[in-house]
Amino acid sequence: MKKIMIRVFKILLIISLLQLILFASDMKTITWEFANEPPTSFEKNGKYVGFGIEIIKDIQNKMPQYKHQLRMVGNYKRLVKELKYGSLTCAINLFKTKERLEYMYFSKVPIFFSFDLQIVLRKTTFEELGKPKKISLKQLLNMKNLKFGTSFGRTYSKNIRNILKEYEGNSNIFSYAQSNVASSLLKMLVRNRFDYMFLYPEEAFYLSKNIDKANDLVTVPIEETGSFSHTWAVCSKNEDGQIVANNITTILEELRKEKKYMNYYVNVISKNLHSYYKKHFENTYLKIYEQ
């Protein structure tokens, strides 16, 4: 009798293992793609790290019905192309534009809520401009003697997009297809390849510790922007992508209520910004919902 029971147990175990194998083989794989953009997402010591990667992992843990793989694609031009043609590709930290809505499904709540762009320039340029507390981007772009460096394929908030479109084709605007978006451009700024660029406060906080001559640079708020901007999670525009994007929305609605979610960003900005950010996170960000 005991031998029979052991045989039955072994048979049931084999059947269970076969079912698990068959289930796993039927699971669809989500490819999570991201730009090389410290401190949000980047590679360090052979591992993908950054607060954006942590959020992706939190989402993945809530979606056990899928297999998941991470892939760093370098810059935003490549990332957008992969989303457009990928079978089931998702990404984080993208602004919503009319063009992108044609080939991406967006989460209905934003994934990131961050301080808006600032202008970064060398101290000498800052002093020549009179040490302004804020800078008009339009005014800078009208100064033909100053060169503006930007990342090819990277998209910004609506106000910034409209201004850049207005000045599209200007001879003093230079776009670079760099793999490490902010870091590469910042090094070029230090080497006088151009005179100013965009940078987010979290990028400035991180890169100031890792770039030579960072003390020779100054960040200044842009007159034409607000205090904050928000970006979204996106997926390929097909049936599977729509299902996953909807799942991400549901997951984010719960995850964003957790204290650690807010702290992912708080931990990469300077302390003087913490209380201001926390207030707007709770009063503004958590209420944003777009169909």
Side-chain angles (χ1 to χ4, degrees):
M1 183 69 179
K2 187 176 180 181
K3 290 182 178 180
I4 294 174
M5 291 296 292
I6 292 173
R7 285 181 182 177
V8 170
F9 176 77
K10 287 181 177 179
I11 292 170
L12 290 174
L13 181 61
I14 292 170
I15 292 172
S16 297
L17 289 172
L18 288 172
Q19 287 176 332
L20 285 172
I21 292 170
L22 289 172
F23 175 73
S25 64
D26 289 338
M27 291 171 68
K28 294 180 179 179
T29 300
I30 302 173
T31 301
W32 295 85
E33 300 200 339
F34 55 92
N36 186 5
E37 187 181 32
T40 306
S41 51
F42 59 107
E43 186 176 358
K44 184 177 182 180
N45 298 327
K47 295 182 179 181
Y48 295 136
V49 295
F51 70 90
I53 300 299
E54 293 304 313
I55 291 174
I56 289 176
K57 289 179 179 178
D58 286 344
I59 295 172
Q60 290 175 347
N61 290 336
K62 300 285 186 179
M63 301 177 72
Q65 69 273 36
Y66 292 94
K67 294 179 182 178
H68 301 273
Q69 63 179 12
L70 291 169
R71 183 163 65 189
M72 187 169 68
V73 294
N75 57 47
Y76 278 93
K77 181 184 178 183
R78 173 76 182 276
L79 187 149
V80 169
K81 183 178 179 181
E82 294 290 337
L83 278 161
K84 191 172 184 178
Y85 299 107
S87 57
L88 183 50
T89 303
C90 295
I92 59 171
N93 203 24
L94 269 72
F95 282 100
K96 189 181 293 186
T97 68
K98 185 177 180 180
E99 179 187 3
R100 288 176 176 177
L101 284 167
E102 294 178 1
Y103 54 86
M104 297 179 194
Y105 280 116
F106 283 75
S107 56
K108 294 180 175 62
V109 296
I111 190 167
F112 291 153
F113 181 68
S114 56
F115 284 101
D116 217 330
L117 279 176
Q118 295 187 347
I119 292 289
V120 185
L121 27 69
R122 293 182 296 276
K123 278 185 179 178
T124 51
T125 308
F126 175 67
E127 291 167 357
E128 289 169 2
L129 293 172
K131 299 182 179 180
K133 292 183 178 179
K134 282 191 174 184
I135 290 181
S136 166
L137 178 58
K138 287 187 176 183
Q139 184 179 346
L140 280 178
L141 291 171
N142 281 324
M143 295 180 180
K144 301 298 183 182
N145 60 313
L146 296 181
K147 298 177 182 178
F148 170 53
T150 185
S151 175
F152 188 67
R154 192 175 190 183
T155 304
Y156 305 101
S157 60
K158 188 175 181 180
N159 284 351
I160 296 296
R161 292 200 305 270
N162 289 340
I163 293 172
L164 292 179
K165 187 174 182 180
E166 181 181 342
Y167 288 85
E168 193 173 16
N170 268 29
S171 59
N172 60 339
I173 298 178
F174 297 84
S175 294
Y176 301 91
Q178 302 294 329
S179 61
N180 193 333
V181 182
S183 177
S184 297
L185 288 177
L186 204 58
K187 290 175 182 176
M188 295 170 76
L189 176 62
V190 168
R191 293 197 295 265
N192 298 325
R193 294 282 296 276
F194 47 81
D195 300 293
Y196 63 99
M197 59 176 281
F198 291 144
L199 206 63
Y200 289 97
E202 66 271 20
E203 294 173 327
F205 183 72
Y206 173 83
L207 294 170
S208 64
K209 304 174 183 177
N210 298 278
I211 298 290
D212 291 336
K213 297 184 179 180
N215 291 332
D216 294 333
L217 301 175
V218 178
T219 59
V220 185
I222 302 172
E223 281 187 4
E224 294 90 347
T225 65
S227 297
F228 296 95
S229 62
H230 51 270
T231 55
W232 309 80
V234 300
C235 294
S236 305
K237 195 155 192 178
N238 52 44
E239 185 178 353
D240 288 330
Q242 184 177 26
I243 293 170
V244 173
N246 288 336
N247 285 342
I248 291 173
T249 295
T250 302
I251 292 167
L252 285 176
E253 286 180 305
E254 294 303 315
L255 286 178
R256 299 183 317 159
K257 296 175 184 176
E258 299 177 11
K259 186 177 180 180
K260 75 169 185 176
Y261 195 96
M262 178 177 65
N263 286 340
Y264 282 141
Y265 186 76
V266 168
N267 291 336
V268 295
I269 57 176
S270 56
K271 289 183 179 180
N272 64 298
L273 299 174
H274 287 188
S275 60
Y276 187 62
Y277 177 80
K278 290 177 181 179
K279 176 183 176 181
H280 286 273
F281 183 95
E282 295 170 357
N283 296 337
T284 304
Y285 172 61
L286 293 180
K287 297 177 182 178
I288 299 172
Y289 187 99
E290 294 182 9
Q291 288 288 351

